[in-house]
Amino acid sequence: MASTNVNEDLRNERTKCNFNVEELTNLLDDGKINTKRRRDLEEKVLNVKGIRDEIPEDYLSHKEKYENAVRKSVLLYKALREYTDTSIPFDQKIRANLRNSIPAAIVKDNSPFMLHSEMFIIAIMGQGTDEQKEYWLKRANNLEIIGTYAQTELGHGTFLRGLETTATYDANTEEFILNSPTLTAYKWWPGGLAHTANYCVVMAQLLIKDKSYGIQPFMVQIRDEETHMPLPGIKVGEIGPKLGFNTVNNGFLGFDHLRIPRERMLMKNAQVLKDGTFKASPNSKLAYGTMVYVRVMIVNTVSKYLARAVTIAIRYSAIRRQSQPKPGEPEPQILDYVTQQHKLLIALATTHAYHFTVRWLWDLYSNVNKDLSRGQLDNLPELHALACSLKVVSSADCTALIEKCRMACGGHGYMLSSCLPLLYGVSTATCTYEGENTVLLLQAARSLVKAWHQALKGQPLSPSMSYLEDKSPPTSWNSSLDGIISSFQRVARGKLSASVSALEQYMASGLSPEDAWNKASIQLTAAAEAHARVIVLTVYKAEVEKRAASLSPPLRAVLYQLLELYFIFWTLEKMGDLLLYTKLSEIDIRGLQKKYEDLLEKIRPNAVGLVDSFDFRDEILNSTLGAYDGRAYERLMEEALKSPLNSEPVNQSFHKYLKPFLRGKL
Amino acid sequence: MASTNVNEDLRNERTKCNFNVEELTNLLDDGKINTKRRRDLEEKVLNVKGIRDEIPEDYLSHKEKYENAVRKSVLLYKALREYTDTSIPFDQKIRANLRNSIPAAIVKDNSPFMLHSEMFIIAIMGQGTDEQKEYWLKRANNLEIIGTYAQTELGHGTFLRGLETTATYDANTEEFILNSPTLTAYKWWPGGLAHTANYCVVMAQLLIKDKSYGIQPFMVQIRDEETHMPLPGIKVGEIGPKLGFNTVNNGFLGFDHLRIPRERMLMKNAQVLKDGTFKASPNSKLAYGTMVYVRVMIVNTVSKYLARAVTIAIRYSAIRRQSQPKPGEPEPQILDYVTQQHKLLIALATTHAYHFTVRWLWDLYSNVNKDLSRGQLDNLPELHALACSLKVVSSADCTALIEKCRMACGGHGYMLSSCLPLLYGVSTATCTYEGENTVLLLQAARSLVKAWHQALKGQPLSPSMSYLEDKSPPTSWNSSLDGIISSFQRVARGKLSASVSALEQYMASGLSPEDAWNKASIQLTAAAEAHARVIVLTVYKAEVEKRAASLSPPLRAVLYQLLELYFIFWTLEKMGDLLLYTKLSEIDIRGLQKKYEDLLEKIRPNAVGLVDSFDFRDEILNSTLGAYDGRAYERLMEEALKSPLNSEPVNQSFHKYLKPFLRGKL
């Protein structure tokens, strides 16, 4: 990454850094070998001829953006297939691949092929019989066909049972008839569905002899493999521009009594026999598997988005100089303002928190998956609850902090060329898709309330909830990391207890259980969030501790500073709850505030080193403000000059509209 | 607004509404006559031929968006000039015009002419001599020329003294030489600067005989009036795409020793005589006037953005049905979920809070302006501090709540056709422009710390800060509106006192005053925010009370419910501070939480009526989700079908890239 022309302030920052950046990169990659593999792959793929844009995508029309994305996606997927090391087994591959951000360098607002690998193939793997997998996975993995996954409809998202698309079995012809009975039954959102995919896994209400058998998956061909024309009975198109994912080609899909063979239902779980006999899934919990996988991936995705945003914001804050607090002295780097550190260093600590959390969660997922394949389902509900809670807080926190990073860059953060608006746009979507955050919090609250009642009955709780059993009175405040975790447990217990009381009081006042639940739902979501905070604090600390012994002392010190910053930040943030449920006092708060301000000062000199360690190549950052060399102003101007509007001194609209107007001739 | 084809749920909501919607509209407009005037103007302007888009702007390229915006702006400004009632005096006109949102209906992402009226003309009025005003205002108001205002540079924004553009006086030729000595000296951001404006008020460092005389305003011609070509010595162009304001034509501007006549300096305040003698402004505070005006306008702008967002979100929440908490019953409207009410009803109350606050602030501004014209400057610093604080909290609150509204609409809120992403994009910018929010909070903190020391010395404080003098010990908690205001005053005092202590301790530990200020700045910004909360609560309550007597009882009841909701929301939000600084107890909190949940239930039936009363025409809302008739799904599909990508069943990229790829031929 050496450059002869690096901004002087950034050069000084790198000299000041007191730990080994490469050591941290290796730690984040889970080993030197992974760092090398990742870099090799980046080097190869990013240098494929024609894979980079000539003019910035943001100048193109919506249609041109799509066409350009297809052009690049083809090159990207080809290169990834060619250069990815296939010797690593599938589950290890995903684990090792968690830090791969190459697609962002090529199709930065995501690829129209994205759902092919991330949902279509996953759905076949999770829902297909061995025979179906054999056939479809081969075609899909070889990219003979390109697929997507259609679940959400215009009228229904998170509430699956409400989906209106029907698949009616006709035993005479041994076919399913797919139909969209209403406008709101149209599938809406699937990436690549509009003009890219020719196959699609469709979730539909299975009907056999007028009886409903729930939502089931069907493999549906939507376009001719030769001509790409939509097949008869299919209405398909794109849904229009969005806050993000504009190159993803999100589509709508309606069926007009489309007939597909019986074998096109994915029958690993439930089955429909030739004669129309329905055989239910042996265990309905099996369907959780894919959902959990996708949510684990979201925790990873958003923490990487945040890592990119904070890299951009910290490097820019190191080269931006503004104001003059001390007369006669040079303008300070804005990173020296404590209010700026307050915005950015917690973002840095949060990337670490979720970076380590996702690795812990992945390992848990892998283990539960192994259990599943042995028919052991006991740990699935806990994993499901954890993935659910962690998806919520990671998406919400990372999105909020990306926006904080953007705003910390002032006006220049508002430029698309900074890449910060795009990171916000794609990140905020994770709060909505794969389970809207409020809905998921209420689901998590349901498990918590259940656990609460189990605890009252003296029944044992799952490991991540066992702290709810503790009924000891609060002891004096303890600012150690363990002390803070125990205080947050007390808050979660207190909030859960208060929600349960509210629930009971609302029922006692005559409300039905459902109405009481609704009326107490603000408190219930707050209790669920409090529980999620306990998990993140606990896991972040445990994962850093696990690695600490093998680290050099300077790096260990820095990781603990970030950990402590994170703990104190959240203590101050949740001061009200802690005042209510623990013995935290005003004097403790003063002390913590001072400690927080001192920690910012300690971490400040390593801020640039810490973001350098994320090791994002400039092509991945895609940012005028965040490049390694810090030439932000030059890049802002260079990008602006690429605007097609700047290719002519006078725009045609002057002659057509403006001049007649100014002459009063219009 | 009657429509034969209104969604049934919305029709029911309107039947349920228990107050007179038109009465509230008239109240918001400050009188029936203003409602009529506003509607007449809307009716005329919105029906001008050719003024509405045929295909949605979001499908166009960046360049096409600009060209289309010029086309429409010309029609818009012509119509506004033709139809606006000119019989109303200037200051009353602005007051009466606060609810005008017509431009949003025409150039929804703002016009390239926007800075002509909002900054160029305001700058001439505030900074020009009578003679200069006579000449330039006439040309500007007649739209013979089109101007903008250039202050911010690539390297400097909020810190004015850091601006690098120089204006060096040459007494020999009686000219100023404008120059951009560095890349960072380039002007960057002014709306309309890129390809639209031919004149510009430029802020530059005045140099006379190597001595600097601070930042002064200069009237600079940048393009030829006939050909529109940039004049020699001018480098001008556009800065590229942004999160919002993409039709505003933000530009950059550099000078290469451009000479302009001495008379082109705007000399109402400071002057340069022919021989190069500098005459300072009689009072440096006079320059505050324009700044204050712009900040008052921002409070108004963001509260209208929020009103639009909440209209969209509440109407959509009334027609969207989801989930099935009670088996066998229909899916509820999502507006019936208490978590949804928790998101949206505070947004509604907040539009009221800032709606009334901005009217109070405008009247204060008008009065201070009258004082100014009589040479009376005493109240200017207080007005400046108030505008500063209110700009910060209104922009931050409204932006956050717009985003909450967007996310409360789930996936569909992510569609640009909902208009919610655009509202977020333009609203979030107000947190940065005209004084970045953190910087402004620190300015406000400086006045507060000054006031604190004055109070210690027994000196009287300005009215809005006089509560800081109170030193009485906290009394028992009081949940009345006045009780809550007094508790928030106690919090503001407590936080200010803690910041001053921290400041003193840091100085005692050896830090310079500047470094101590920096180190305590997180606490100082929090204290400034707490003060701003006191102002908003106080003003909102006073303004509702002032109007209450003249209202019908049902409307009065609804306005008080929103007021109370707002007060309790903020009490729960700032629970931690209140626990620290007042006698608020856990039991009080339970009671307030219950009261909050009950208030949501009371306001719920009037939610649609309350947003209907904002009286936004569909053309102004510009939203598939928020139209008066509630046909959200139909509109989503209609908008999608306008996509140029949907005009062909197979996109050319299939033949060019996708097919060869799927055939393995690439």
Side-chain angles (χ1 to χ4, degrees):
Chain A
M1 285 245 212
S3 166
T4 47
N5 197 9
V6 170
N7 170 287
E8 193 188 334
D9 284 325
L10 269 184
R11 249 189 292 134
N12 291 337
E13 293 292 335
R14 286 171 182 139
T15 313
K16 236 171 17 187
C17 176
N18 68 19
F19 69 93
N20 183 334
V21 169
E22 183 70 11
E23 185 186 357
L24 179 50
T25 303
N26 295 336
L27 176 75
L28 296 172
D29 279 320
D30 290 305
K32 269 190 188 178
I33 175 78
N34 289 329
T35 301
K36 186 179 178 311
R37 274 199 191 121
R38 181 177 53 73
R39 285 184 183 154
D40 285 350
L41 186 64
E42 286 168 1
E43 183 63 21
K44 283 176 189 152
V45 176
L46 299 179
N47 285 311
V48 165
K49 198 171 158 248
I51 210 163
R52 317 257 331 134
D53 284 327
E54 309 250 308
I55 70 156
E57 205 161 69
D58 299 317
Y59 292 117
L60 305 181
S61 74
H62 185 66
K63 189 177 173 197
E64 290 164 338
K65 279 178 197 167
Y66 168 65
E67 292 164 350
N68 188 42
V70 174
R71 180 186 70 75
K72 290 186 298 184
S73 295
V74 158
L75 297 174
L76 168 66
Y77 279 69
K78 192 168 164 283
L80 283 177
R81 211 168 21 162
E82 189 171 338
Y83 299 124
T84 299
D85 186 345
T86 52
S87 67
I88 316 169
F90 183 73
D91 62 330
Q92 288 172 42
K93 191 176 80 187
I94 291 181
R95 176 72 154 81
N97 205 29
L98 290 175
R99 288 201 69 231
N100 178 359
S101 289
I102 293 175
I106 312 301
V107 193
K108 55 180 182 163
D109 194 7
N110 290 298
S111 160
F113 298 3
M114 164 181 191
L115 261 68
H116 177 79
S117 39
E118 288 180 24
M119 294 291 294
F120 182 66
I121 289 177
I122 302 291
I124 300 169
M125 285 173 62
Q127 323 253 24
T129 61
D130 286 344
E131 199 183 347
Q132 287 174 323
K133 282 198 272 194
E134 165 72 22
Y135 180 75
W136 292 110
L137 280 183
K138 199 176 134 199
R139 297 204 75 197
N141 282 327
N142 284 348
L143 283 160
E144 293 164 25
I145 59 174
I146 181 152
T148 182
Y149 177 88
Q151 177 171 303
T152 299
E153 296 172 355
L154 200 42
H156 286 90
T158 302
F159 179 58
L160 283 191
R161 280 187 294 128
L163 294 179
E164 296 175 83
T165 303
T166 52
T168 309
Y169 187 62
D170 179 347
N172 297 324
T173 60
E174 294 178 14
E175 288 172 320
F176 294 103
I177 306 160
L178 285 167
N179 197 41
S180 313
T182 60
L183 172 64
T184 48
Y186 269 64
K187 296 294 174 189
W188 192 271
W189 279 116
L193 174 62
H195 299 89
T196 312
N198 47 18
Y199 283 81
C200 183
V201 171
V202 173
M203 302 302 287
Q205 296 272 3
L206 171 63
L207 296 174
I208 308 174
K209 294 177 192 146
D210 297 331
K211 197 177 157 206
S212 170
Y213 292 88
I215 303 295
Q216 305 294 344
F218 300 86
M219 172 65 74
V220 184
Q221 181 176 2
I222 53 177
R223 289 176 178 270
D224 184 274
E225 288 189 32
E226 269 308 308
T227 65
H228 212 54
M229 282 295 287
L231 296 182
I234 300 270
K235 279 171 271 181
V236 66
E238 79 123 0
I239 64 172
K242 294 132 290 169
L243 180 51
F245 292 90
N246 281 304
T247 46
V248 167
N249 199 223
N250 300 87
F252 64 77
L253 174 65
F255 300 104
D256 182 8
H257 300 90
L258 177 79
R259 286 178 170 268
I260 59 170
R262 188 185 65 92
E263 297 74 27
R264 291 289 169 96
M265 176 170 153
L266 296 178
M267 299 210 207
K268 176 178 175 183
N269 303 318
Q271 295 170 33
V272 175
L273 305 186
K274 286 185 183 173
D275 65 355
T277 307
F278 178 77
K279 295 188 81 174
S281 165
N283 193 312
S284 64
K285 284 180 188 154
L286 280 173
Y288 283 180
T290 315
M291 215 147 67
V292 171
Y293 169 82
V294 176
R295 288 177 190 159
V296 176
M297 287 300 120
I298 288 177
V299 185
N300 187 54
T301 302
V302 290
S303 76
K304 278 195 297 183
Y305 288 154
L306 179 57
R308 282 160 66 193
V310 75
T311 301
I312 296 166
I314 285 184
R315 286 186 182 157
Y316 174 68
S317 299
I319 69 105
R320 175 80 167 178
R321 289 179 168 271
Q322 199 78 180
S323 201
Q324 196 179 34
K326 296 184 190 172
E329 293 200 8
E331 298 183 51
Q333 295 165 279
I334 60 174
L335 192 50
D336 282 331
Y337 290 107
V338 174
T339 47
Q340 188 79 349
Q341 294 162 14
H342 179 48
K343 294 171 189 175
L344 301 183
L345 300 189
I346 182 61
L348 195 45
T350 302
T351 56
H352 278 235
Y354 288 118
H355 172 91
F356 291 119
T357 299
V358 82
R359 273 143 190 85
W360 169 83
L361 188 59
W362 176 263
D363 292 341
L364 195 68
Y365 168 79
S366 288
N367 290 333
V368 173
N369 237 5
K370 276 174 211 147
D371 291 350
L372 281 184
S373 61
R374 291 192 302 262
Q376 168 63 266
L377 296 160
D378 295 0
N379 295 320
L380 194 55
E382 181 175 29
L383 174 66
H384 179 247
L386 281 168
C388 191
S389 300
L390 291 172
K391 183 269 190 187
V392 173
V393 288
S394 64
S395 60
D397 291 356
C398 293
T399 301
L401 287 167
I402 287 169
E403 197 58 350
K404 198 165 263 186
C405 287
R406 182 185 67 73
M407 296 180 77
C409 295
H412 295 328
Y414 197 72
M415 303 290 308
L416 295 195
S417 71
S418 74
C419 202
L420 293 166
L422 180 123
L423 286 169
Y424 181 70
V426 291
S427 179
T428 185
T430 62
C431 300
T432 304
Y433 66 61
E434 293 301 322
E436 194 277 330
N437 276 0
T438 304
V439 177
L440 290 192
L441 278 180
L442 285 168
Q443 279 183 21
R446 221 171 265 283
S447 345
L448 285 168
V449 171
K450 200 173 142 198
W452 186 256
H453 290 301
Q454 283 176 335
L456 287 182
K457 288 183 219 150
Q459 293 166 356
L461 303 183
S462 60
S464 63
M465 289 185 188
S466 60
Y467 72 89
L468 293 173
E469 292 161 7
D470 182 14
K471 294 280 182 283
S472 63
T475 50
S476 64
W477 175 260
N478 173 349
S479 282
S480 72
L481 300 182
D482 283 326
I484 291 175
I485 290 178
S486 136
S487 293
F488 269 82
Q489 290 176 338
R490 212 165 273 286
V491 166
R493 266 199 305 275
K495 291 177 94 81
L496 182 56
S497 165
S499 315
V500 172
S501 300
L503 206 50
E504 285 164 357
Q505 279 166 30
Y506 280 130
M507 285 198 278
S509 78
L511 293 186
S512 68
E514 295 85 3
D515 290 338
W517 179 268
N518 189 21
K519 191 103 189 224
S521 58
I522 300 170
Q523 298 182 57
L524 287 161
T525 52
E529 192 225 320
H531 171 66
R533 296 282 160 219
V534 171
I535 307 297
V536 179
L537 293 173
T538 310
V539 173
Y540 180 17
K541 172 171 173 284
E543 293 294 301
V544 169
E545 279 175 351
K546 215 167 80 181
R547 290 159 174 84
S550 66
L551 303 175
S552 68
L555 178 56
R556 196 186 312 142
V558 174
L559 292 192
Y560 271 101
Q561 283 164 0
L562 285 175
L563 182 66
E564 198 171 10
L565 185 86
Y566 189 81
F567 272 58
I568 299 181
F569 175 90
W570 278 104
T571 302
L572 294 169
E573 192 72 15
K574 299 291 183 184
M575 178 182 88
D577 292 333
L578 291 161
L579 284 168
L580 267 193
Y581 296 113
T582 74
K583 298 231 176 212
L584 181 70
S585 72
E586 188 174 351
I587 295 175
D588 298 322
I589 293 169
R590 298 281 149 259
L592 287 162
Q593 182 68 40
K594 170 82 171 59
K595 202 164 176 184
Y596 180 77
E597 288 156 5
D598 290 342
L599 271 170
L600 293 177
E601 190 171 322
K602 278 187 200 152
I603 299 170
R604 159 69 186 89
N606 286 319
V608 168
L610 280 162
V611 299
D612 282 352
S613 76
F614 294 135
D615 197 26
F616 290 119
R617 288 172 62 125
D618 284 349
E619 298 97 322
I620 286 169
L621 285 180
N622 254 314
S623 170
T624 45
L625 305 185
Y628 187 83
D629 65 10
R631 293 174 60 253
Y633 298 118
E634 291 84 346
R635 282 174 204 269
L636 279 166
M637 185 58 93
E638 283 158 20
E639 284 297 299
L641 291 176
K642 293 178 189 164
S643 171
L645 270 170
N646 284 333
S647 66
E648 304 159 312
V650 178
N651 180 268
Q652 54 162 331
S653 62
F654 172 72
H655 302 291
K656 259 169 111 169
Y657 311 115
L658 196 53
K659 191 173 177 181
F661 176 63
L662 295 175
R663 294 284 167 279
K665 288 183 183 156
L666 198 108
Chain B
M1 288 248 214
S3 164
T4 47
N5 196 9
V6 171
N7 170 286
E8 193 187 334
D9 285 324
L10 268 184
R11 250 189 292 131
N12 291 338
E13 294 293 335
R14 286 171 182 136
T15 314
K16 233 167 25 184
C17 176
N18 69 18
F19 69 94
N20 183 336
V21 170
E22 182 70 12
E23 185 186 356
L24 179 50
T25 303
N26 294 335
L27 176 75
L28 296 173
D29 279 321
D30 290 303
K32 271 190 188 179
I33 175 77
N34 289 329
T35 301
K36 187 179 176 315
R37 271 197 194 125
R38 181 177 53 74
R39 286 183 182 155
D40 286 349
L41 186 63
E42 285 168 2
E43 183 63 22
K44 283 176 188 152
V45 175
L46 298 180
N47 286 310
V48 164
K49 200 171 157 249
I51 211 162
R52 315 257 329 133
D53 283 327
E54 309 252 308
I55 69 156
E57 205 162 71
D58 298 317
Y59 293 117
L60 306 181
S61 72
H62 185 66
K63 187 177 174 196
E64 290 164 339
K65 281 179 195 167
Y66 168 65
E67 291 164 352
N68 189 42
V70 174
R71 180 186 69 76
K72 291 187 296 184
S73 295
V74 158
L75 297 173
L76 168 67
Y77 278 71
K78 191 168 165 281
L80 282 177
R81 208 166 27 163
E82 189 171 339
Y83 298 125
T84 300
D85 186 344
T86 51
S87 67
I88 315 168
F90 183 74
D91 63 330
Q92 288 172 45
K93 191 175 79 186
I94 292 181
R95 176 73 154 83
N97 206 31
L98 290 176
R99 290 202 67 233
N100 178 2
S101 290
I102 293 175
I106 313 301
V107 192
K108 57 180 181 162
D109 195 7
N110 291 298
S111 160
F113 297 4
M114 164 180 191
L115 261 68
H116 176 80
S117 39
E118 288 179 25
M119 292 293 293
F120 182 65
I121 289 177
I122 303 290
I124 301 170
M125 284 172 63
Q127 323 254 25
T129 61
D130 287 343
E131 199 182 348
Q132 287 173 324
K133 282 199 272 195
E134 165 73 23
Y135 180 75
W136 291 109
L137 280 183
K138 200 175 134 198
R139 297 203 75 197
N141 282 326
N142 285 349
L143 282 161
E144 293 164 27
I145 59 174
I146 181 151
T148 184
Y149 177 87
Q151 180 172 301
T152 299
E153 295 172 357
L154 199 44
H156 286 89
T158 302
F159 179 58
L160 284 191
R161 278 188 294 130
L163 295 179
E164 296 176 83
T165 304
T166 51
T168 309
Y169 188 63
D170 178 348
N172 297 326
T173 59
E174 293 177 16
E175 286 171 321
F176 293 103
I177 306 161
L178 285 167
N179 198 40
S180 312
T182 60
L183 172 65
T184 48
Y186 269 65
K187 297 294 174 187
W188 191 270
W189 281 115
L193 174 62
H195 299 90
T196 314
N198 48 19
Y199 283 80
C200 183
V201 171
V202 173
M203 302 303 285
Q205 296 273 6
L206 171 62
L207 296 175
I208 308 174
K209 291 177 197 146
D210 297 330
K211 198 180 156 206
S212 169
Y213 291 88
I215 303 295
Q216 305 294 344
F218 300 86
M219 172 67 74
V220 183
Q221 181 175 3
I222 53 177
R223 287 176 179 271
D224 183 275
E225 288 189 32
E226 270 307 309
T227 65
H228 212 54
M229 282 295 286
L231 296 183
I234 300 268
K235 278 171 274 184
V236 67
E238 79 124 0
I239 63 171
K242 293 134 289 172
L243 180 50
F245 293 91
N246 281 303
T247 47
V248 167
N249 200 221
N250 301 87
F252 64 77
L253 175 63
F255 300 105
D256 182 8
H257 300 90
L258 176 80
R259 287 179 169 265
I260 59 171
R262 188 183 65 91
E263 297 75 27
R264 290 288 171 95
M265 175 171 154
L266 296 177
M267 298 211 207
K268 177 177 170 184
N269 302 317
Q271 294 170 34
V272 175
L273 306 186
K274 286 185 183 173
D275 65 355
T277 307
F278 178 77
K279 295 187 82 175
S281 165
N283 193 313
S284 65
K285 285 180 186 152
L286 281 173
Y288 283 179
T290 315
M291 214 146 67
V292 171
Y293 169 81
V294 176
R295 289 178 188 159
V296 176
M297 287 301 120
I298 288 177
V299 184
N300 187 55
T301 302
V302 289
S303 76
K304 279 195 298 182
Y305 288 152
L306 177 58
R308 283 161 66 194
V310 76
T311 302
I312 296 165
I314 285 185
R315 286 185 182 157
Y316 174 69
S317 300
I319 69 105
R320 174 80 168 177
R321 288 178 170 274
Q322 200 77 180
S323 202
Q324 196 178 34
K326 296 184 190 173
E329 293 201 8
E331 298 183 52
Q333 297 166 277
I334 59 173
L335 192 50
D336 283 331
Y337 291 107
V338 174
T339 47
Q340 188 79 348
Q341 295 162 14
H342 178 47
K343 293 171 189 176
L344 300 183
L345 299 188
I346 183 60
L348 196 43
T350 303
T351 56
H352 278 236
Y354 288 118
H355 172 91
F356 291 119
T357 299
V358 80
R359 274 143 190 86
W360 170 82
L361 188 59
W362 175 263
D363 293 342
L364 195 70
Y365 168 78
S366 288
N367 289 333
V368 173
N369 237 4
K370 276 174 210 147
D371 290 350
L372 281 184
S373 61
R374 290 193 303 264
Q376 169 61 266
L377 295 161
D378 294 0
N379 295 320
L380 194 55
E382 181 175 30
L383 173 66
H384 178 248
L386 281 168
C388 189
S389 301
L390 291 171
K391 183 270 186 186
V392 172
V393 287
S394 65
S395 60
D397 291 356
C398 294
T399 301
L401 287 166
I402 287 169
E403 196 58 350
K404 197 166 262 186
C405 288
R406 181 183 69 70
M407 296 181 77
C409 295
H412 295 328
Y414 197 73
M415 303 287 311
L416 295 195
S417 72
S418 73
C419 202
L420 292 167
L422 180 123
L423 286 169
Y424 180 71
V426 291
S427 180
T428 186
T430 62
C431 300
T432 305
Y433 66 62
E434 293 300 324
E436 195 277 331
N437 276 359
T438 303
V439 177
L440 289 191
L441 278 181
L442 285 169
Q443 278 182 24
R446 221 170 265 284
S447 342
L448 286 167
V449 171
K450 199 171 143 197
W452 185 258
H453 289 302
Q454 281 175 337
L456 287 182
K457 287 184 220 148
Q459 292 165 358
L461 303 184
S462 59
S464 63
M465 291 187 188
S466 61
Y467 73 88
L468 293 174
E469 292 162 6
D470 183 12
K471 295 278 181 284
S472 63
T475 51
S476 64
W477 175 260
N478 174 348
S479 282
S480 71
L481 299 183
D482 282 328
I484 290 175
I485 289 178
S486 133
S487 293
F488 270 83
Q489 289 176 340
R490 213 166 273 286
V491 167
R493 266 199 305 275
K495 290 178 94 79
L496 182 56
S497 164
S499 317
V500 172
S501 301
L503 205 51
E504 283 165 359
Q505 279 165 29
Y506 281 130
M507 284 197 280
S509 78
L511 293 186
S512 69
E514 296 85 3
D515 290 338
W517 178 268
N518 189 23
K519 191 105 189 223
S521 57
I522 301 171
Q523 298 183 58
L524 286 160
T525 52
E529 193 224 321
H531 171 67
R533 296 284 160 218
V534 171
I535 306 297
V536 179
L537 293 172
T538 309
V539 172
Y540 181 17
K541 172 170 173 283
E543 293 294 300
V544 169
E545 279 175 350
K546 215 167 82 181
R547 289 158 175 85
S550 66
L551 302 176
S552 68
L555 178 57
R556 197 187 310 141
V558 174
L559 292 191
Y560 271 100
Q561 284 165 0
L562 285 175
L563 183 66
E564 200 171 6
L565 185 86
Y566 189 81
F567 272 58
I568 299 181
F569 176 90
W570 279 104
T571 302
L572 293 170
E573 191 73 14
K574 298 291 183 185
M575 181 182 86
D577 292 332
L578 290 160
L579 283 168
L580 267 193
Y581 296 113
T582 75
K583 298 233 176 210
L584 181 70
S585 72
E586 188 174 352
I587 296 174
D588 299 321
I589 293 168
R590 300 279 150 258
L592 287 162
Q593 182 69 38
K594 171 84 172 61
K595 201 165 180 184
Y596 179 76
E597 287 156 7
D598 290 342
L599 270 170
L600 293 177
E601 190 170 324
K602 279 188 198 151
I603 299 169
R604 159 70 187 88
N606 286 320
V608 168
L610 281 163
V611 298
D612 282 352
S613 75
F614 294 135
D615 197 27
F616 289 119
R617 289 172 63 123
D618 284 350
E619 298 97 321
I620 286 167
L621 285 180
N622 254 315
S623 171
T624 46
L625 304 185
Y628 187 82
D629 65 11
R631 295 173 61 254
Y633 299 118
E634 293 84 346
R635 281 173 205 271
L636 278 167
M637 185 58 94
E638 284 158 20
E639 285 296 300
L641 292 176
K642 293 178 190 162
S643 171
L645 269 170
N646 284 332
S647 66
E648 304 160 311
V650 178
N651 180 268
Q652 53 161 331
S653 62
F654 172 73
H655 302 291
K656 260 170 108 169
Y657 311 116
L658 196 52
K659 192 172 177 182
F661 176 61
L662 295 175
R663 295 284 167 278
K665 289 185 181 153
L666 199 107

